[in-house]
Every structure is written in structure tokens, then in C-alpha cells.
Amino acid sequence: MSNKPPPPRPAPRLYLATPVVDDPAALVAELPGLLAAADVAAVLLRLKETDQRTMITRIKALAPPVQKAGAALLVDGHPELVARGGADGAHLPGIAALKEALPSLKPDRIAGVGGLTTRHHSMDAGEIGADYLLFGEPDAKGQRPSAQAIAERLDWWAELFEPPCVGFATSLEEAYDFAASGADFVLVGEFIWADPRGPKAALIEADAAIKKAHAAASGGQDTAGQEHG
């Protein structure tokens, strides 16, 4: 048996959630510049509910600019549209949806999962084959755990389990804290698109924050009192 310490965790990467997409034209034009500006691993496509043919057309419009930039395109829900739209996978809202979607997504596509309210659910999701687990997203009523509770869940998961974990950040401060807690990816969305400077500036800042948090945590420093800028 080797006594070598485990290799250091790679720096977390961004997971960018889109606004709810109706007409994808503006996003198709904007994404290449955004994805070139920061280290974005994946894009979560939130589609406006409509008929399947229209949703597939929208996925087909957005997949090429995302994939050309070296990122993966995941569809929020709708695993049945993933292959037909040329996306890389789906994000599923809970254990039941994950179980139902796995046969159609595996082994070629990504099956991520959120909506995991307990540690038991999280372990179940990892055991049945989720490619990543998202912690901290709002529920149907818009409620979510405290940032501290989300950070604790990420820390627990990162310490014990193999599948990557994602922290759902609603601010730059949360992005920093979740990266420091061991998140492999940090999901950012509304606060990026709402930034008065524009999404590119916000995305670059979020990327810098999670890299800084990772560096501080890896160096064994106390990150709690550090500036988030």
C-alpha cells in the first residue's frame, strides 16, 4: 500500500445555466464570446415548455456553439429530447427522474441529478450512476437550503464519494464558498445574466473567484475571512 497523499483536486470549473430560452437566436450569438472568456465546462439549457419539435429545434441551434467551445450542453429535464437534439446529456430533478432516464442516456450521454433533499438520496443517486450531483438549487416553491448547509453538503460529498458534485451559486460569494468547500463544478445562472456590466464580466469574475477559493483551500489556508473579490 502506498502512503502517498491523494492527488490534489483539480480546480473547480463553471457550469453556466441559461435563462429560460424561447427564441435562441440572441444566445446563439452571445455564447461563443462567453465561453471563450472563462473556463466553462458545461451549459445547462433551460427550455421554455412548448411542443417537442420546437424544443428539439432550439437544442439543435444551441448545441454547436457550446460544443465547438469545448463545453457540454445539457438539457434541463427532457431526457427524451437529448439525442434527437444533439445535446450531451440531461439534468434530472430527483432520484425517480434519474432512474427513468438512465437507460436512454447511458452510456453515451451525461445524466446529472439535483433535487436531492437528504444524504440518503444523494448516496442513492451516486450508486445508481449519476454523473454528477447538484446541491443547493431552489425547490418548486423557490426555497433552498442556507449557503452554509449547501457548503457542508458539498464538503461531505467531496470528502467521501467519487462522482463530481456541483454547487448551485446565486452570488459571487456563494461561488467562492462552494469552490472552497470542495465543489468540482459551480453552477451559475441568474446573477450572471442580471449583472449590469453584462454576463461576460460577471462570468470572468466568477471564474476567478472559484479558482482563488480552490487555491486558498488547497494551500490549507483559512478561507473564511478572505475577501471574495
Side-chain angles (χ1 to χ4, degrees):
M1 291 290 287
S2 167
N3 288 327
K4 282 185 189 169
R9 293 176 76 87
R13 302 183 68 197
L14 288 168
Y15 185 5
L16 176 64
T18 70
V20 175
V21 174
D22 190 358
D23 177 1
L27 201 54
V28 168
E30 193 167 23
L31 274 173
L34 281 178
L35 299 179
D39 180 23
V40 178
V43 173
L44 180 64
L45 173 57
R46 294 176 161 155
L47 288 166
K48 184 176 180 184
E49 294 290 329
T50 181
D51 63 281
Q52 284 205 344
R53 180 176 290 183
T54 303
M55 288 195 284
I56 290 167
T57 301
R58 289 171 186 164
I59 298 168
K60 283 182 174 176
L62 286 158
V66 172
Q67 292 161 346
K68 199 170 180 182
L73 181 71
L74 280 82
V75 181
D76 194 6
H78 303 292
E80 74 284 357
L81 306 182
V82 167
R84 291 153 72 191
D88 297 289
H91 176 76
L92 303 153
I95 291 281
L98 175 67
K99 283 181 179 170
E100 192 179 320
L102 278 172
S104 66
L105 293 172
K106 294 290 197 166
D108 300 321
R109 290 182 165 82
I110 299 163
V113 66
L116 305 166
T117 52
T118 68
R119 292 189 175 199
H120 182 71
H121 280 163
S122 306
M123 290 188 283
D124 282 351
E127 281 172 13
I128 64 176
D131 290 299
Y132 70 78
L133 285 77
L134 174 66
F135 297 124
E137 79 275 34
D139 64 17
K141 296 177 183 171
Q143 304 294 312
R144 64 194 289 263
S146 69
Q148 184 182 349
I150 297 165
E152 286 170 0
R153 184 66 57 92
L154 289 163
D155 183 54
W156 163 75
W157 184 266
E159 194 72 30
L160 298 174
F161 302 100
E162 280 297 313
C165 57
V166 184
F168 184 108
T170 61
S171 67
L172 191 64
E173 289 74 22
E174 287 188 358
Y176 181 98
D177 290 343
F178 296 165
S181 297
D184 299 283
F185 302 92
V186 177
L187 186 124
V188 295
E190 286 178 22
F191 82 93
I192 298 293
W193 303 103
D195 194 298
R197 300 167 301 169
K200 184 185 281 189
L203 201 62
I204 290 169
E205 193 173 46
D207 191 27
I210 66 175
K211 299 291 191 283
K212 181 179 173 184
H214 174 75
S218 300
Q221 299 169 22
D222 176 16
T223 59
Q226 295 208 357
E227 289 298 314
H228 298 308

